[in-house]
Amino acid sequence: MMIEALIAVALVGALVTFIAPNRIAGKLAFAISLVPAALSIWIFTAFDGSGNALLDGTLAFESHLEWIQLGEYSISWFVGVDGISLPLVVLTTILTSLAIMSSWTPIDDRESQFYGLILFIEANLIGVFTALDFFLWFIFWEAVLIPMYLLIGIWGGPRRKYAAIKFFVYTNVASLVMFGAFIALIFGLGDGVTSFALPEIANAMLNGGPEGLFGLEGTTLASVVFIAMFLGFAVKVPVVPFHTWLPDAHVQAPTPASVLLAGVLLKMGTYALLRFNFTMFPDQVETYAVPIAAIAVISVIYGAMLALAQTDLKRIVAYSSVSSMGYVILGLVAYTQFGVGGATFQMVSHGLISGLMFMAVGVIYNATHTRLVTDMSGMADRMPVAVGILVAGAFGYMGLPLMSGFAAEYFIFFGAFGAEFPYAPLFTSLAMFGIVIVAGYLLFALQRAVFGPYELETDYEVSRAPLHDIAPMFVLLGLIIALGVAPDLIFQMITDAVDPILSGGDL
């Protein structure tokens, strides 16, 4: 019942925080969020399983309870973790606690509702990463959209309503496309499945696949579903050309919402691609490997080039997320142990680094009330600790050895270069060029904004950031270095869960 405890504490905590007085809401939410964080770390230390929950039934902390009967199909409460989902659950709980602490300075209006929504997001994110029944998973998937829409629309910047509506429309339409495609697949499997349990559907797909539907033969139906689901998840990732909602959402969102959006919500898309497309459709992965690899490389290069053209620090970090998620897609399509394992490692690494970067940018904005690199210089003189952490996070983004970004990119490039799809070395080499562009836009921004003589266009007094703004960044930096120095803290459990995917589940 540990998974239920994680979700329940966050949900009940959200309700309690909603009705708490504003003056204590932030501290109360932080205290409540420490419980799921501690529980998830305990689950991580107690985890001794190996294998993939969908393919060979190797599932830790499993709960399975029949819920609803819909004709021939049953819906159940079915949750658990394996080596793919557990690191993302821990990432979610830790980032939530740190995001709440980072909110204490900038959030001073309707605090009870703000912190309640943060905890509500946490509960549903845990559900997304642990649910193994499609209907249950989809409920959690959709429920994440509502609080993020409200966080952007209520506490965001001047164009918050536009950004919130754009975020909701893009992601909701994508969800409908994905949902319709997967339901068609379940019906197409015929007598092969009797429930919406993802392990049963995955095994049916790998033991013959769909029989056909709507006049489409089985192979054609599988290809149509694969493409539709890929497009639906690609919006959430996001990859080019479905990325246009992301910069607006990040720029207008309050800093804590940006931390969770980049740190965890984007991983919903890549996690779903791994769980659904790259686990259940191995033949289609091979068929469409070249166009998927092309999309990945375009996202890497184009996202980095867009970041290079920005002067807003938040937009720079936002576009860098598009580039970083391109590396994840490249690792997945490589379909090798290091490629898929590295992609999953990159999900965690990017969650930590992007969370750190958005927090650092938020701390600078709290003091200067501007994010434009053309409006400031010499911030290191006035905010040496915050700027030092920002520089360290930027080097993590650039893949400095002994930081998690280096380990993730090494795994992906090593796995992708030796992949079997056509032109794999060429695609990998092109993607590696993205690192050069990343260094270009980050070094330009740092050179202009934090070094040199002190100047500030806005009329604010800049001083050292308070401890509660600095402490969350120190924690994230420590985790980034820990995973860079000892990647096997999570990489071994990830590869144990990835291996059955590459072998078709040994079916």
Side-chain angles (χ1 to χ4, degrees), residues 18 203 220 257 310 440 460:
F18 266 121
N203 279 270
T220 304
Q310 306 305 312
Y460 288 90

Side-chain angles (χ1 to χ4, degrees), residues 220-279:
T220 304
L221 176 62
S223 293
V224 170
V225 171
F226 177 87
I227 293 171
M229 294 188 69
F230 182 88
L231 293 175
F233 295 138
V235 174
K236 180 72 76 175
V237 172
V239 298
V240 176
F242 307 111
H243 66 287
T244 57
W245 64 268
L246 183 65
D248 292 320
H250 271 311
V251 169
Q252 299 304 319
T255 295
S258 290
V259 170
L260 290 178
L261 180 59
V264 190
L265 264 71
L266 302 190
K267 312 310 176 291
M268 291 168 56
T270 49
Y271 172 80
L273 280 172
L274 176 54
R275 278 293 196 219
F276 291 89
N277 290 68
F278 289 89
T279 297

Side-chain angles (χ1 to χ4, degrees), residues 422-446:
Y423 314 112
L426 175 61
F427 283 118
T428 306
S429 300
L430 291 173
M432 292 174 71
F433 183 70
I435 298 175
V436 178
I437 310 175
V438 169
Y441 65 69
L442 287 176
L443 290 176
F444 165 76
L446 294 176

Side-chain angles (χ1 to χ4, degrees), residues 180-492:
F182 199 75
I183 293 298
L185 174 68
I186 293 173
F187 290 153
L189 288 168
D191 296 334
V193 296
T194 58
S195 73
F196 290 95
L198 296 180
E200 182 180 350
I201 296 168
N203 279 270
M205 284 297 297
L206 296 174
N207 277 319
E211 301 170 357
L213 190 69
F214 304 133
L216 300 175
E217 61 181 28
T219 303
T220 304
L221 176 62
S223 293
V224 170
V225 171
F226 177 87
I227 293 171
M229 294 188 69
F230 182 88
L231 293 175
F233 295 138
V235 174
K236 180 72 76 175
V237 172
V239 298
V240 176
F242 307 111
H243 66 287
T244 57
W245 64 268
L246 183 65
D248 292 320
H250 271 311
V251 169
Q252 299 304 319
T255 295
S258 290
V259 170
L260 290 178
L261 180 59
V264 190
L265 264 71
L266 302 190
K267 312 310 176 291
M268 291 168 56
T270 49
Y271 172 80
L273 280 172
L274 176 54
R275 278 293 196 219
F276 291 89
N277 290 68
F278 289 89
T279 297
M280 300 183 186
F281 299 85
D283 293 338
Q284 283 67 36
V285 171
E286 182 178 356
T287 300
Y288 299 106
V290 171
I292 293 173
I295 290 172
V297 172
I298 291 171
S299 295
V300 168
I301 302 298
Y302 187 65
M305 294 296 290
L306 287 173
L308 186 62
Q310 306 305 312
T311 57
D312 184 310
L313 287 172
K314 233 184 179 187
R315 279 192 175 271
I316 291 173
V317 181
Y319 279 119
S320 70
S321 292
V322 176
S323 183
S324 296
M325 291 297 97
Y327 288 124
V328 176
I329 302 300
L330 180 64
L332 292 177
V333 78
Y335 228 58
T336 60
Q337 184 190 67
F338 276 91
V340 180
T344 309
F345 191 96
Q346 169 73 340
M347 294 183 209
V348 178
S349 172
H350 178 263
L352 297 173
I353 296 174
S354 63
L356 172 61
M357 294 294 286
F358 275 114
M359 282 185 188
V361 171
V363 169
I364 292 174
Y365 178 78
N366 293 340
T368 64
H369 292 260
T370 181
R371 293 188 300 262
L372 298 179
V373 296
T374 54
D375 285 351
M376 67 183 95
S377 68
M379 288 297 109
D381 290 340
R382 304 299 177 93
M383 308 179 72
V385 178
V387 166
I389 297 175
L390 172 64
V391 172
F395 279 112
Y397 244 131
M398 288 184 269
L400 184 72
L402 300 183
M403 301 186 84
S404 63
F406 173 81
E409 290 169 1
Y410 172 79
F411 293 147
I412 290 172
F413 294 149
F414 184 81
F417 197 84
E420 297 182 359
F421 65 86
Y423 314 112
L426 175 61
F427 283 118
T428 306
S429 300
L430 291 173
M432 292 174 71
F433 183 70
I435 298 175
V436 178
I437 310 175
V438 169
Y441 65 69
L442 287 176
L443 290 176
F444 165 76
L446 294 176
Q447 176 74 23
R448 182 66 184 86
V450 304
F451 298 118
Y454 173 74
E455 292 181 15
L456 182 64
E457 294 296 323
T458 57
D459 188 21
Y460 288 90
E461 188 66 31
V462 178
S463 59
R464 292 173 181 264
L467 178 61
H468 61 258
D469 284 348
I470 297 297
M473 296 193 292
F474 264 122
V475 174
L476 288 177
L477 183 58
L479 292 172
I480 291 165
I481 295 172
L483 288 182
V485 173
D488 262 355
L489 286 171
I490 64 171
F491 190 66
Q492 186 60 56

Side-chain angles (χ1 to χ4, degrees), residues 136-160:
L136 179 65
W137 174 86
F138 189 74
I139 290 170
F140 286 125
W141 175 274
E142 287 295 279
V144 170
L145 301 181
I146 300 169
M148 184 55 68
Y149 167 82
L150 293 173
L151 288 174
I152 298 172
I154 297 175
W155 289 272
R159 302 189 69 211
R160 57 186 179 273

